[in-house]
Amino acid sequence: MTRSHTETAQAWLSGFQAEFTRKETDLAWLGALRNQARATFQKQGLPTTRTESWKYTSLAPLLDTEYHLAQTEEEAAAQPYVPSTEGFRIVLVNGHFAPGLSRLPQTEEWGLMSLYEASRLTPGRLEDHLLHPNLESGFSSLNEAFWEDGVFLYLNPAAQVKEPVWIICVNVAHQASISHPRLAISLGRHSRLALIEYHVGQGPYLSNIRSTIHLDENAHLDYLRLQCEHPLAHHIADIEFTQRAGATLQSHSFTLGGALSRISLSTCLSDAKASCRLFGLMLGQNHQHQDEHTHIRHAAAHTHSEEHYRSIQDDASHGIFCGRIKVEAGALQCTAKQTSHNLLLSPSAEATTLPQLEILNDDITCSHGATVGQLDETALFYLISRGLDPDEARALLKQAFAKTILDSIPNPALKDKISRLIQEKLGQPLRQGGAHVFFHD
Amino acid sequence: MLDIRNLHVAIGDKPILKGIDLQVKPGEVHAIMGPNGSGKSTLAQVLAGREGYHITAGEIRYEQQDLLKLAPEIRAREGLFLAFQYPVEIPGVTNIYLLKAALNARRKHLGLPELDAIDFLQLVKDKLKLVNMDEAFLYRPVNEGFSGGEKKRNEILQMILLEPKLALLDETDSGLDIDALKTVSEGVNTMRDPARSILLITHYQRLLDYIKPDVVHVLAQGKIIHSGGPDLARTLEDRGYGWLDTDQEVAV
C-alpha cells in the first residue's frame, strides 16, 4: 500500500527532526534558515507528477520507504569508493565530512573546507552565501533544513587554482538512509577553477544534494559532475548557478548510476557578457530513470548560452531532458543554442525531450533541435561489411554518439578516463559499485 | 571464385532479381552494366549480406562455400569486399580506427597476427599514396564531410588495404571527375591479380576505358540478358540498351 505524498512528507519531517543532531545554537541566522526551510517544506511537501517540472518523475518508488538521516560511517568503509585523485579534494561520507580522506589547501588565495567548519571559521562569509535561499522544491527545502555537513569553497578575487578540485560524495548505507550534502561555492572576480563532483556509494540510500555556485565578474568555472550512484540508490540534485558580468561557466553532467536520478541545473546570466556552455550525457540501462532539467535565464543583454545534451537509453530505461531557456524582455542581442539528441537501443526504452523556450524580445539569435532515434542500420551494415563483429560495431556506434560530449571535456586526462568509463558501460551491463576502479591508477 | 545459379531475390513481395546466373573465375574482371532499376545494386547488396532481401530461389557459392549461409562479417573476413555506391558517413568513428579494426578482423580470421599501431600506420601510409590521399584523412571521421571523390577513394583505400579475393565495386565511378576516376581506376588496376576477382557494377562505359574487363554482362529487369567481351561495353555506349531484346534468353 503506497503512502500519499503528504503522509510521506509528514513522516519524513517528524522522523528527521527527531534524528537531527546538529544544533547551531550560537548561529541564530543559521537556526532561522533551517526553521524557515522546514516551514517551507511543510507547505511544499514532496513534488508530485502534477507539478509541471516533476511530470515525468514519479516518487512512487520512494514513498513507502522509512528513510533515516544518514549517520557517520567509518572512513575505512568508504575508502574503497574514493578514487585516487591528485591535488586537493574534500570527501563527504553519508553527508558528513571525512577529514582523513580529504586533502585541504592551506592558502590565503582560496579556501576549501567542510560547511560546518566554515560556519565556525568564517560565519560572515557563509551567511552572505546562504542567505535568501531559493527553495525550488521540497527536496531543496529538506536539504536546507537537514544538512549535516557539506562543502564551502571560495576563491578570492583573481585566485587561480591550477589543479582540479574534487568534491567526492560517498554513501555507504546499511538501511534506507538519506543524506543531504550542501555545497556552497563562490568564485571571486577574475578567479578560475576546475571542479569535479563525483557521486558514488553502496546500498539503498537517497542522496539529496543542493549546490549554490556563484561566479562573480569575469570568473571562470569548469564544472564536471559524474553521477555513478549504486543501482539501488536514488540521486536528487538541485544545482543553482549565478553568473555576474563576463563570468563564464562550462558544465558537464554525466549521469550513469542510480535507480532514480533527478537533476535540476539552473543558471542565471544576470549581467552583460555572462555566458555558459552546458553539456550532458545520460546512459540508462535496466529500469533506470534519469531526469535532467536545465534552466538558463538570460536576464541581461549580450549574454550567451549553448547547451548540448545526449542520452542513450537501453532495456526499459527512461531518459528525460527538459531544457528551459528564458530570455527576458531587456536581454537584447543574446544568443542561445540548444540541442538534445537521444538514442534508443531497445523497444522498451524511452526518451523524452522537451525544449522550452520563453523569449520576451525580438533582438536575439536562438536555435534548438531535438532528435530521438535508433542506431543507424546503414552505418551498422557498413561496419559489419568491413569485417567488424556486430556487437563491436554496435558498441562503436554508441560510443560515437557519446563522443561529441566527451570531446568537449577540457581536461585531457579526465576526458580519457571518463571516455573509458563510458566505453565500459556501453559495452557491458551495469557494474556494481561505480566508477572508482577507473580512477585508481 | 563466385558461382551464382538461378538467383531470385525479392524486396517484400516485389521480385527484383529473376534468375541470375553468373560465374566468375579467379583472376577475372567482370563488368555488370544495365539501366537504372535493373537490379545491379540489389545483387551487390545480396552478395555482401545486407538484410531485408528475400532469397526466393537459387544459390550462391563463393570459394566452394554456401555464401548465403555466411554472416556478412564472415564474408568480409573471408575476402569479399563491397565498395559502396553511397559510402556511409559515420561521425565519431575515425577512419584509421575502422581501417585497423577491419584489417585485424580479417587477419585474425586468417590466423595471422594482428598488426600493432606502428606497423599498421606504416602499412596504411604506403597504401594512401596509391589512392593519392593525404595522411590527414586517417584521422577524420569515416566519410564525414568527404567530397564524392574522397568517399570513393576511401572505399578503394579500404579495398587495397584489405586485399580481398573478390571485390565488388558498386557504381564506384558515379559522381567522379576525370582525375578522380583515373585515381580510382589505377587503384583498382593495382589490385588485378591471378588469384583475385573483380566485379564492376556500372552504369557507364567510361570506367571500362580505364579498367579493361574480361567479360561484360547486361543486367535488365532482374536478369542477365546478354554477355560478351570487352567490346560489348563500347556497343552499349554507342547504341544504348534498346537493341537488346529484354525478353531474349541469355546468350553466353
Side-chain angles (χ1 to χ4, degrees), chain A residues 376-394 396-401 403-404 407 423, chain B residues 45 48-50 72-73 76-77 80-84 87-88 90-93 97-98 101-102 105 142-143 155 158 162:
Chain A
D376 179 351
E377 285 298 322
T378 314
L380 196 59
F381 178 66
Y382 187 73
L383 294 174
I384 293 169
S385 80
R386 296 306 180 243
L388 272 67
D389 190 79
D391 284 343
E392 184 192 358
R394 252 176 235 113
L396 200 58
L397 289 179
K398 288 186 256 172
Q399 285 158 25
F401 182 85
K403 194 166 179 289
T404 356
D407 280 350
Q423 215 168 341
Chain B
Q45 297 283 321
R50 183 83 198 247
E73 69 276 15
R77 293 172 201 167
L80 186 147
F81 179 88
L82 169 65
F84 278 53
V88 184
I90 311 184
V93 178
Y97 183 95
L98 173 59
V142 177
N143 294 322
E155 296 291 286
Q158 294 175 16
L162 294 173

Side-chain angles (χ1 to χ4, degrees), chain A residues 282 309-313 319 321 340-344 351-353 370-374 401:
Chain A
M282 291 177 247
Y309 269 68
R310 289 192 170 217
S311 161
I312 303 179
Q313 301 294 327
F321 169 73
S340 159
H341 296 297
N342 301 272
L343 181 60
L344 295 176
T352 305
T353 172
T371 60
V372 179
Q374 297 168 352
F401 182 85

Side-chain angles (χ1 to χ4, degrees), chain B residues 49-139:
Chain B
R50 183 83 198 247
E51 282 179 19
Y53 298 90
H54 307 294
I55 318 295
T56 48
E59 63 165 351
I60 306 174
R61 299 200 71 81
Y62 166 70
E63 294 267 275
Q64 277 73 55
Q65 298 182 77
D66 184 350
L67 186 73
L68 298 173
K69 286 214 173 101
L70 301 181
E73 69 276 15
I74 305 297
R75 298 182 196 192
R77 293 172 201 167
E78 287 276 333
L80 186 147
F81 179 88
L82 169 65
F84 278 53
Q85 181 180 5
Y86 303 109
V88 184
E89 297 193 12
I90 311 184
V93 178
T94 56
N95 224 3
I96 191 163
Y97 183 95
L98 173 59
L99 291 166
K100 185 163 174 270
L103 181 63
N104 279 335
R106 175 139 161 74
R107 289 181 65 92
K108 198 175 166 189
H109 186 75
L110 296 174
L112 297 168
E114 296 182 38
L115 292 186
D116 64 21
I118 297 161
D119 289 343
F120 175 75
L121 194 61
Q122 192 51 56
L123 178 69
V124 77
K125 276 181 179 174
D126 292 341
K127 306 291 186 194
L128 276 169
K129 290 180 198 139
L130 294 173
V131 285
N132 199 16
M133 282 168 85
D134 192 83
E135 199 184 326
F137 271 93
L138 295 177
Y139 303 100

Side-chain angles (χ1 to χ4, degrees), chain A residues 151-162:
Chain A
V151 174
F152 186 50
L153 168 58
Y154 67 87
L155 272 67
N156 287 337
Q160 311 277 315
V161 183
K162 299 274 182 293

